[in-house]
Amino acid sequence: METSAEGAAEAHGSDTAAAVGDGVAVTAAGVEVVGAEAVGTAAGAGVAVVARAPASLSPSRASDFMQCPLLYRFRVIDRLPEKPSEAATRGTLVHAVLERLFDAPAAERTAPRAKSLIPGQWDRLRESRPEVVELFAEDPEGERLARWLGEAERLVERWFALEDPTRLEPAERELFVEAELDSGLRLRGIIDRVDVAPTGEVRIVDYKTGKAPRPEYAEGALFQMKFYALVVWRLKNVVPRRLQLVYLGSGDVLTYDPVLADLERVERKLLALWEAIRLATETGEWRPRPTKLCGWCDHQAHCPEFGGTPPPYPLEVGAAEAGGAAQGRMGPD
């Protein structure tokens, strides 16, 4: 899932601090210094935080770096603020509804019940992420909000044409996973759903609220799933039997049955990617990579491709570890 779960994956496991992401941490008492490199201001909120080199890799941050190294820097190191979007927030809401539906007995997992969960989950989302209220600040009559919630209802209802929840008993929902490779590189993320057959075969399922990609782009769409499969293999020594992407926006289901060679290739790719991140962290050279996606980027004001200037680099150049160990962690736990 690529909604708010990304931040949760990066923050998971901390009892005393709320992680702001790879590189910074803020405790209830203030700023926690955790082997940091520099001090900056978090997400435009005026909160002093400590910047450090990235310490782990998730599917979304890996995709960020492949899309544009400078975007990775803005999100992971600089922690520049990004406005909530209707599409991403709707995705978070729909994911929450589909997760909670499985709390009900199998016979009660119906479309009307699922849709009835939407108002309550929307209230919970606004409480946990107050910034999403900004989406409808200029909607005094609530018309846009009503249309938006109606779109969420349609996505939830479409799911019932793709899967039958009365016949599913997920082994895990919104499962945080983390594994450390032999190189020391730590991989982490959150899997929407894990199904385990009576024979022990594992299926990893991810919900997408957008439309399925064209066939020529299917490999890119499967990258996230192969990432999760690699983590599961490293944790359990089990290659998942099936990877399944459920596209609620178009009503398509994309499946792929991985083999061990697939996961080994993904691991090599991630190690090469992490080495490139290490070098960029050490040198401070995060180059923009212009694509058609630039039109949707929140950081054009800071991007040289649009006449902007990046903020001062908050890490000491040359501070990243060198040698073999640098292929793994660059920052402390």
Side-chain angles (χ1 to χ4, degrees):
M1 170 173 78
E2 207 35 59
T3 54
S4 61
E6 187 66 47
E10 292 175 350
H12 192 279
S14 175
D15 294 324
T16 59
V20 186
D22 278 346
V24 292
V26 179
T27 69
V31 178
E32 179 184 11
V33 179
V34 282
E37 303 290 353
V39 176
T41 300
V47 180
V49 297
V50 180
R52 61 174 181 168
S56 63
L57 196 60
S58 66
S60 293
R61 298 295 79 85
S63 295
D64 284 346
F65 188 85
M66 290 187 289
Q67 176 186 325
C68 175
L70 187 58
L71 174 63
Y72 177 97
R73 177 199 149 170
F74 286 160
R75 285 179 166 169
V76 175
I77 296 177
D78 297 301
R79 306 303 300 179
L80 296 183
E82 295 183 351
K83 296 179 181 179
S85 72
E86 290 189 15
T89 305
R90 184 169 51 242
T92 301
L93 174 61
V94 170
H95 277 80
V97 169
L98 298 186
E99 178 191 4
R100 294 273 67 85
L101 182 64
F102 284 102
D103 290 340
E108 298 178 19
R109 297 172 195 160
T110 63
R113 183 184 182 99
K115 289 191 289 185
S116 74
L117 296 174
I118 291 177
Q121 292 303 315
W122 172 231
D123 289 341
R124 292 185 61 185
L125 182 58
R126 287 184 298 174
E127 291 174 3
S128 62
R129 296 177 56 195
E131 68 273 13
V132 303
V133 177
E134 301 173 14
L135 291 170
F136 305 103
E138 299 179 4
D139 182 33
E141 302 299 324
E143 294 178 356
R144 282 182 48 231
L145 174 58
R147 287 196 299 271
W148 183 82
L149 290 172
E151 292 168 357
E153 286 188 358
R154 286 188 287 275
L155 290 171
V156 168
E157 190 168 28
R158 184 172 290 152
W159 177 58
F160 286 82
L162 304 175
E163 295 190 289
D164 182 358
T166 66
R167 303 181 63 183
L168 295 171
E169 291 298 339
E172 300 287 352
R173 290 172 277 157
E174 296 296 312
L175 174 66
F176 174 82
V177 291
E178 181 179 56
E180 187 170 298
L181 304 182
D182 294 340
S183 65
L185 170 57
R186 192 165 67 242
L187 306 178
R188 52 173 56 181
I190 293 181
I191 301 174
D192 287 348
R193 198 179 86 217
V194 178
D195 300 330
V196 179
T199 56
E201 295 176 316
V202 173
R203 176 172 64 183
I204 296 176
V205 180
D206 194 76
Y207 309 121
K208 300 294 184 185
T209 50
K211 296 180 179 180
R214 294 199 299 267
E216 60 266 33
Y217 297 114
E219 183 61 31
L222 284 168
F223 170 75
Q224 175 188 5
M225 304 302 285
K226 292 180 180 180
F227 184 109
Y228 291 147
L230 169 62
V231 175
V232 170
W233 171 49
R234 285 301 190 184
L235 285 174
K236 304 293 186 181
N237 198 30
V238 173
V239 176
R241 174 68 178 83
R242 173 155 292 181
L243 311 178
Q244 182 166 302
L245 284 160
V246 181
Y247 287 94
L248 305 177
S250 57
D252 296 300
V253 176
L254 176 63
T255 62
Y256 183 81
D257 296 342
V259 296
L260 182 57
D262 290 325
L263 308 188
E264 292 172 338
R265 280 193 294 270
V266 171
E267 183 169 336
R268 290 193 296 269
K269 180 176 183 176
L270 291 174
L271 290 174
L273 189 67
W274 191 244
E275 175 64 10
I277 292 173
R278 182 192 71 81
L279 290 173
T281 303
E282 187 176 48
T283 62
E285 295 183 7
W286 301 88
R287 298 183 180 181
R289 183 175 297 149
T291 67
K292 294 179 180 179
L293 297 175
C294 291
W296 285 273
C297 183
D298 282 343
H299 308 304
Q300 293 181 13
H302 296 283
C303 180
E305 293 294 321
F306 293 87
T309 302
Y313 191 53
L315 301 179
E316 180 180 349
V317 174
E321 299 174 12
Q327 289 187 347
R329 289 195 202 90
M330 290 180 288
D333 288 338

